[in-house]
Amino acid sequence: MTRYLIRRLLSAFTVIAVVSLVTFLIFFALPSDPAVLACGKACTPDRIAAIHHSLGLDKNIFVQYADYVTGFFAGRTIGDGANAIHCAAPCLGISFHDDSNVWDTIWGRFPADLSLALGAAVVFMVVGVALGLAAAVRKGKLVDKFAVGLALFGISTPIYFSALVLQFFFVDKWQWLPAPNYTPITQDPAGWFQGLILPWAALVLGSMAYYTRLTRSTALDVMGEDYVRTARAKGLSRGKVILKHTLRSAITPIVTIFGMDFGALIGGSAIITETAFGIPGIGQLAVQSVLNVDLPVIMATSLFAATAVVLANVLVDVVYGIIDPRVRYA
Amino acid sequence: MTQQPHSTGTTGDSTVLEAEVTTATADTETTAAKEIVGRSPARMAFLRLRRDRASVVALTVALLFVLAAVLSPVLSGIEGWGPATPDLHGIDPDKGNFPIGAFGGISGSHWLGIEPGTGYDVFSRLVYGLRTSLMVALIAALLSTLLGVVVGLASGYFGGKVDAALNWVMNIMLAFPQLLFIIALTPVLTSAFSTNAHGGTSETLQLGSIIVIIALFAWAYTARLVRGQVLSLREREFVDAARIMGAGWKHMLFKQLLPNLWAPILISFALAVPTNIATEAALSYLGVGVVPPNPDLGSMLDAATQYYLYDPTYMVVPGVALLLVVLSLNLLGDGVRDALDPRANRA
């Protein structure tokens, strides 16, 4: 188990290293020159060269990457002379846009991400699985049709449309809720909850469908198995069979996609939800940095997201061994 | 079949699909034995699809949208407004350029109303936007399916080092946070393509880079699905037989394996199209895809966020259109899957 974990972590580390190198090469080597954008319209070659130098863009690309990695583990000083900024480890660079420390910006936005991810994930996992299970048990009945229809609807509705519709009714027309926003939970728990209800709802509507569909189809498969019939035949109640036998077997694929979804959500993949509701999370930061061509921030958000996904994958593999005794770590 | 610890829902499906191909063939044999009609598996699947009411409705709706997209110049010609000709008499400059008349200015000459602010005709922009969306989605789905099938075939059939290397690449592609990378890469690629004399971006180049990027992040799913199928197919007798008769790898891949894979490939293609439409619209919504004044459903919804309180029609029209397109194509994709997989949902 320990050996397996070490090996998985090592391979996760390689994936992250490759992702970081590829991301770096793509964004720093391709000709969307940040200096030209920073410089504006009236720009001389001298001025571009000066900006290149101050950003360290005049060095060899691999030297730049090495600097970047060193900076992450040991910290580094960016720029020289009077403009030099020290960036302590773990350093992800300094924003081209406003000279802020990228690592601090990301961690500053992380609580918003986490709030959105946690609240939504708990609901879409629990409700999605429950609906899927109910649909499988009452296959062909009203519950099934409702669950399948809702899932199809959820998959097909773009979040930015449901976000607008939700806001239109709940905030503007009926005024049941305040405008969606993010208040730190430490500051005002009630405000935190109220401000996040609609973003959670939009995210749940979009993600729940996968859980409903997956639970329904795996549960239907499992319910055809001999051991389920045996369990019923030996006198176990229907509810017990569903919870202890059916759900227990169906849970493995659910855990897989939940791990990946949750990792992605924490990593800032709720880009559209955050943009549509103005939640200041990492996804919104990513979009802003793309529109500003703020390379260090693009790089950092991509890296952060990839790391979250990869680590979530490792965690899922470990959890497998706990929930499914048939899994052997080799 | 060697299953990876993190097998996704799609790989789960593939085992079912594999079984279904066999049953379909078996069915045909029994029918033929009774001397009724010899039906090919494809014909049977089509008949099953035609019998499913939801699929027929979905197919009709999807075809209507495709037709509207293909005929967009004709339709907007009949209506009488181009996608970028403002009707300045239709909007009221004293009231923030909102359209005159109820329901966003819907009338006999503006079938779906007028765009607030610009005065453009909504119907015309909608059909032109649909054309862009469907074109991008279809080409991207074709590209990603093609690449995915080739990589999946190679990875599954050759095994060993080739498989290890290709599988590693697939895993890395799947580890990338997709939407984030698509968003981040689109402007980079667009500017890389268009560093021409004008410095501007032509629409074709921009659409081209959107297509390439969507395909780039989608092929790994198909590749993984095909790889799983090939891994189980290559243990079958007919593959052994062909190998013993001295078939080369090209024959093995394209004449022996590929014909047995059309069901999962068709399904993954059918479901890729609506996904791509949604991605394309999301990009435009976020401001990195198709940019105004070029018409697009996503950027219309982005514009609607400013006006939706006073002109909800302008929010509802592109939103419902997008919802209907994606919904009908998803439903059709599900229908195709059920038709090709007679055992599913009927157990």
Side-chain angles (χ1 to χ4, degrees), chain A residues 26 139 152 160 172 213 286 320, chain B residues 5 180 185 281 308 331 334 345:
Chain A
I26 290 170
K139 189 178 147 41
L152 194 67
Y160 41 90
D172 301 308
R213 287 182 151 199
Y320 267 143
Chain B
L180 191 65
L185 271 176
Y308 77 106
L331 205 58
D334 286 351
N345 292 326

Side-chain angles (χ1 to χ4, degrees), chain A residues 25 34 46 58 71 86 118 127 146 196 221 251 271 274 284 288 299 319:
Chain A
L25 290 181
D46 284 354
D58 52 349
H86 182 70
L118 266 180
V127 180
F146 172 75
L196 283 173
D221 279 351
I251 204 115
I271 295 172
E274 285 176 9
Q284 197 200 38
Q288 282 169 3
M299 176 78 198
V319 171

Side-chain angles (χ1 to χ4, degrees), chain B residues 32-271:
Chain B
K34 280 185 215 152
E35 287 188 336
I36 304 173
V37 211
R39 285 174 185 157
S40 72
R43 174 108 192 110
M44 298 193 42
F46 178 71
L47 286 177
R48 267 195 295 268
L49 187 70
R50 222 178 51 182
R51 225 177 295 142
D52 181 26
R53 209 185 305 151
S55 301
V56 173
V57 173
L59 184 65
T60 318
V61 174
L63 278 180
L64 278 179
F65 274 108
V66 172
L67 217 61
V70 173
L71 297 178
S72 50
V74 181
L75 287 174
S76 72
I78 296 173
E79 194 212 19
W81 292 98
T85 30
D87 179 4
L88 296 175
H89 302 290
I91 51 176
D92 189 348
D94 298 332
K95 288 182 186 155
N97 283 330
F98 276 99
I100 298 165
F103 296 108
I106 289 185
S107 64
S109 73
H110 293 286
W111 297 346
L112 290 174
I114 302 171
E115 192 169 279
T118 57
Y120 293 148
D121 178 70
V122 173
F123 174 77
S124 174
R125 291 183 77 73
L126 191 77
V127 285
Y128 271 98
L130 271 174
R131 189 153 89 147
T132 319
S133 292
L134 287 175
M135 196 179 69
V136 168
L138 272 175
I139 300 178
L142 276 175
L143 279 181
S144 71
T145 309
L146 202 67
L147 187 62
V149 167
V150 171
V151 174
L153 275 176
S155 175
Y157 180 71
F158 294 120
K161 286 203 176 113
V162 178
D163 182 36
L166 290 176
N167 206 21
W168 187 74
V169 177
M170 281 182 232
N171 281 333
I172 287 187
M173 288 312 291
L174 295 173
F176 275 106
Q178 308 215 348
L179 186 58
L180 191 65
F181 267 79
I182 294 178
I183 290 169
L185 271 176
T186 312
V188 173
L189 201 61
T190 317
S191 68
F193 275 164
S194 65
T195 35
N196 53 13
H198 324 291
T201 312
S202 84
E203 201 192 347
T204 330
L205 281 177
Q206 197 183 16
L207 290 183
S209 43
I210 295 174
I211 291 172
V212 168
I213 285 178
I214 293 181
L216 193 68
F217 283 94
W219 66 269
Y221 291 100
T222 317
R224 196 172 238 213
L225 181 79
V226 172
R227 175 179 174 271
Q229 296 283 297
V230 174
L231 282 181
S232 68
L233 273 181
R234 61 181 248 195
E235 305 303 327
R236 299 260 291 271
E237 289 84 351
F238 73 91
V239 174
D240 285 340
R243 198 179 291 133
I244 291 165
M245 288 163 81
W249 64 271
K250 274 186 200 151
H251 177 89
M252 295 297 290
L253 285 185
F254 297 107
K255 298 274 168 173
Q256 297 291 334
L257 293 174
L258 195 58
N260 284 291
L261 289 169
W262 65 271
I265 292 171
L266 189 65
I267 292 167
S268 83
F269 174 77
L271 292 172

Side-chain angles (χ1 to χ4, degrees), chain A residues 72-88:
Chain A
F72 182 77
F73 291 106
R76 63 179 166 140
T77 308
I78 293 168
D80 47 15
N83 302 325
I85 301 172
H86 182 70
C87 171

